[in-house]
Amino acid sequence: MTFHAFQQEDVKSDISRKLPDQQFLLFTTKEEDLKTAETKKLNRAHEHEKENTRSVCLLEQKRKVVSSNIDVPPARKSLEELDMDKVTAAMVLTSLSTSPLVRSPPVRPNESLNGSWKEGGFVPSSTSSSGYWSWNAPSDQSNPSTPSPPLSADSFKAFRTPSQADDGIDEGETSNLLFDEPIPRKRKNSMKVMFKCLWKNCGKVLSTAAGIQKHIRTIHLGRVGESDYSDGEEDFYYTEIRLNTDSVADGLSSLSPVSPSLASPPSFPTQDTIRPETSCAKTETKVMTPLSRSAPTNLYLVHTDHAYQVSPTHNRAAGSGEQKQTHTVLSSPPRVAFGLRKPRGEGKKCRKVYGMENRDMWCTACRWKKACQRFID
DNA sequence: AATGCCGGGTG
DNA sequence: CACCCGGCATT
């Protein structure tokens, strides 16, 4: 146990902190630590690559544009293709959401069809104790990017593949939806169709596809100028939800365990614009890196975060202030108990990684019991 | 029970 | 400021 020597208080850790990873290994003997050392490396790399994130994102976007141009009539795909598309989309989303690191062998939307996607560079379990890589595990059907249990299978009808839905009404309409089709008659029987933004930590629900797309485009993709231009990118980031109007309550509660107010964006104006912490609006430095981290992953947390940052300036047009167009249904203000805390960042933390013993290897924040800065989620 | 980390100290 | 920690939320 040579390394015990290093754990003593007297051998202050500056050394160890400055050591490159290789040597870091010397200090960690437990097998678990070895594992985490790997992780650490990854994270390091991650940090270094953040810079490139933007371009990577663009790349990904382009790919998708291309592919979507090729499969011309989206509504004409075979079921199988559709499924694969879902998977593919999910893959992309997942890869985007987790980290740019993952992109290494980029997920190529088209080629992924023949099964090669498995080795698409998804570092499997090794890194995650919590298992956020593993949505594709034999969990459940077509619910790729969202590990979210609360969405009941039927409310989560389609992951941007409305045409496969049961009632034929969508058939050629999908494409219309892309452009300002307010879906008034869309509610057949007691069905209400809503569109939910899948962007991480966003949960915006709008009643029109156009609305949600515009939302995604302006808020998450940061395409401000090109107001109406759509390359289909947004399609990947929202989902269509069918709500049985007679069980609306149910549907809603399953949508947002946090607050039933989800479906009433009106009083939650440009919430997303203001959400600085994580992605888009991150001051100056790395302004537009929307895809870098926050592609849709989980559906909840939605409000807590905003609640935190909602500022009095919300309602005025902050460049993209027009997205309050479609607020629908339910007019209860989202006043309901805001989460008091920011949701805890997922991902490893120094404490977990290095362990109590190696406290001096922690990032300062961790040592001060602040939010970890090394493994920022 | 262990972790993560906010809020609020202290020097 | 850097540093620490009580205490609560989350896991």
Side-chain angles (χ1 to χ4, degrees):
Chain A
M1 281 307 173
T2 52
F3 86 107
H4 269 330
F6 294 100
Q7 295 173 2
Q8 303 307 326
E9 262 302 289
D10 42 41
V11 185
K12 256 312 186 184
S13 55
D14 275 348
I15 330 160
S16 44
R17 234 172 293 148
K18 285 170 190 159
L19 285 174
D21 294 316
Q22 299 280 358
Q23 295 165 31
F24 162 75
L25 284 177
L26 292 178
F27 295 96
T28 59
T29 52
K30 289 176 291 185
E31 62 278 54
E32 176 191 320
D33 285 356
L34 288 178
K35 225 167 48 185
T36 55
E38 259 309 314
T39 311
K40 188 183 171 187
K41 252 189 240 175
L42 292 182
N43 277 292
R44 284 268 177 80
H46 181 154
E47 273 172 345
H48 290 146
E49 280 186 352
K50 270 180 189 166
E51 310 256 320
N52 308 325
T53 304
R54 176 57 174 160
S55 48
V56 171
C57 294
L58 290 175
L59 224 173
E60 289 291 349
Q61 290 183 28
K62 279 202 188 123
R63 287 208 183 92
K64 265 179 283 179
V65 173
V66 169
S67 67
S68 65
N69 282 342
I70 292 175
D71 319 273
V72 189
R76 289 279 169 268
K77 293 175 183 172
S78 72
L79 271 183
E80 198 177 306
E81 269 177 303
L82 282 171
D83 271 346
M84 287 319 291
D85 273 1
K86 281 188 281 182
V87 171
T88 310
M91 291 297 291
V92 174
L93 295 180
T94 313
S95 71
L96 289 173
S97 73
T98 24
S99 94
L101 184 71
V102 162
R103 83 184 196 280
S104 22
V107 182
R108 289 170 303 236
N110 285 324
E111 284 169 40
S112 60
L113 292 184
N114 48 38
S116 64
W117 59 274
K118 263 187 189 161
E119 62 259 20
F122 279 79
V123 188
S125 53
S126 61
T127 31
S128 65
S129 53
S130 46
Y132 29 72
W133 292 104
S134 52
W135 57 266
N136 57 337
S139 50
D140 55 359
Q141 351 70 284
S142 57
N143 189 340
S145 68
T146 62
S148 62
L151 274 187
S152 61
D154 44 41
S155 64
F156 194 94
K157 210 51 172 201
F159 182 77
R160 197 271 168 278
T161 57
S163 52
Q164 82 174 81
D166 19 25
D167 46 13
I169 62 164
D170 307 278
E171 260 303 287
E173 232 159 273
T174 323
S175 44
N176 292 344
L177 289 176
L178 297 178
F179 299 98
D180 295 296
E181 164 89 21
I183 60 149
R185 60 230 160 67
K186 200 126 203 240
R187 44 126 67 103
K188 185 186 149 197
N189 299 337
S190 50
M191 280 305 214
K192 176 94 194 163
V193 180
M194 302 289 279
F195 298 87
K196 183 182 177 75
C197 177
L198 289 177
W199 208 271
K200 186 181 180 186
N201 285 347
C202 179
K204 189 115 183 157
V205 175
L206 295 180
S207 62
T208 66
I212 199 68
Q213 287 177 5
K214 189 173 275 183
H215 159 81
I216 293 169
R217 229 178 295 138
T218 56
I219 305 302
H220 299 308
L221 298 178
R223 299 185 191 157
V224 206
E226 7 180 7
S227 50
D228 268 352
Y229 165 71
S230 158
D231 59 2
E233 168 82 359
E234 315 83 22
D235 301 4
F236 292 96
Y237 298 132
Y238 70 85
T239 183
E240 179 183 321
I241 325 166
R242 278 142 207 275
L243 299 179
N244 223 330
T245 31
D246 33 43
S247 57
V248 177
D250 291 341
L252 286 178
S253 60
S254 71
L255 275 179
S256 70
V258 215
S259 85
S261 56
L262 219 186
S264 65
S267 26
F268 228 76
T270 22
Q271 30 159 310
D272 314 27
T273 349
I274 317 169
R275 209 180 106 256
E277 275 326 13
T278 25
S279 49
C280 316
K282 179 105 178 189
T283 55
E284 308 280 307
T285 31
K286 355 177 11 187
V287 200
M288 281 307 162
T289 59
L291 296 181
S292 59
R293 47 162 91 277
S294 48
T297 36
N298 47 13
L299 292 178
Y300 12 94
L301 319 167
V302 186
H303 276 81
T304 45
D305 218 35
H306 312 321
Y308 232 56
Q309 353 255 221
V310 144
S311 87
T313 67
H314 56 311
N315 204 4
R316 54 158 164 64
S320 56
E322 87 316 22
Q323 55 132 40
K324 47 179 303 160
Q325 43 175 16
T326 337
H327 323 121
T328 15
V329 244
L330 305 196
S331 46
S332 60
R335 278 281 150 260
V336 209
F338 287 131
L340 309 133
R341 276 198 168 199
K342 214 163 34 181
R344 185 187 295 181
E346 57 197 78
K348 298 210 173 291
K349 299 291 182 288
C350 295
R351 186 202 197 103
K352 254 308 193 15
V353 172
Y354 304 115
M356 267 308 211
E357 333 54 286
N358 299 313
R359 189 158 187 264
D360 31 42
M361 289 177 154
W362 298 5
C363 67
T364 25
C366 277
R367 262 178 291 142
W368 308 160
K369 284 210 204 171
K370 299 293 185 196
C372 178
Q373 287 173 323
R374 184 167 300 167
F375 307 100
I376 345 107
D377 42 39

